[in-house]
Amino acid sequence: QVHLVESGGGVVQPGTSLRLSCGASGFTFSSYVMHWVRQAPGKRLEWVAVILYDGSNVDYIDSVRGRFSISRDNSKNTLFLQMNSLREDDTAVYYCARELGLIDYWGQGTPVTVSS
Amino acid sequence: EIVLTQSPDFQSVTPKEKVTITCRASQSIGNGLHWYQQKADQSPKLLIKYASQSFSGVPSRFSGSGSGTDFTLTINSLEAEDAATYYCHQSSSLPFTFGGGTKVEIK
């Protein structure tokens, strides 16, 4: 059974950093492209970042490029999102999700609130 | 960026009624369109992949159709447990994008 569990969210001030983690189980983690998707309160889902199977290639939505960094540790079946220079409009629930041509499974999400 | 426009934004429906939700893409995406159900305080769940293929374990009352720029999600004979927000999503090209969502309320 596919299981994705995010952690690391919290309440932080603007300009600070946060590192999210996503533990994967129930599937061969290294065989899947992985994504972070976020959802601000009352808003639509917004794709944030993607990382290929071995971490060799990554991409980001323009609004986080240069501030966020996605990475993975296939030996520990874990996905990461390093978020720096956080802004109030980064406030959202952050989901990790796996992809094999399409996003098929999502974690339960971890909330991030950026507020002064 | 491919923009997905969903309609309607909200629908209030009685049980056993049929629900139709549409999603229009700003450019052709072939069949790279998928539908998700998100219940309150839960993560999205995949219902329909590649426009018309049912995902494993999804009830047969959910179906999808369309290709290119125009897509439809149909819920036949709505049940109370179907109260949720439904999103379309394209994986044709990065950045992946999502529709604005359609909230389905049970009368």
Side-chain angles (χ1 to χ4, degrees), chain A residues 47 59-61, chain B residues 1-2 90 93-97:
Chain A
W47 174 80
D59 200 5
Y60 304 91
I61 194 171
Chain B
E1 171 176 319
I2 297 173
Q90 68 81 21
S93 65
L94 288 175
F96 283 180
T97 50

Side-chain angles (χ1 to χ4, degrees), chain A residues 29-116:
Chain A
F29 181 69
S30 58
S31 296
Y32 286 81
V33 174
M34 296 297 295
H35 298 258
W36 287 99
V37 179
R38 67 186 179 184
Q39 188 171 33
K43 301 292 186 181
R44 74 175 66 190
L45 297 157
E46 179 179 54
W47 174 80
V48 174
V50 61
I51 186 167
L52 292 192
Y53 316 92
D54 59 357
S56 60
N57 210 347
V58 299
D59 200 5
Y60 304 91
I61 194 171
D62 286 347
S63 60
V64 309
R65 197 184 308 274
R67 299 188 299 122
F68 288 13
S69 177
I70 186 172
S71 61
R72 65 193 296 163
D73 184 340
N74 286 345
S75 69
K76 296 182 178 178
N77 293 339
T78 304
L79 177 71
F80 302 100
L81 185 66
Q82 178 67 43
M83 305 186 295
N84 299 328
S85 303
L86 281 162
R87 310 186 309 213
E88 291 193 352
D89 62 358
D90 293 318
T91 293
V93 175
Y94 284 74
Y95 298 98
C96 70
R98 78 168 199 180
E99 180 218 325
L100 196 64
L102 74 149
I103 291 177
D104 58 358
Y105 285 99
W106 305 61
Q108 87 289 348
T110 186
V112 172
T113 301
V114 184
S115 174
S116 54

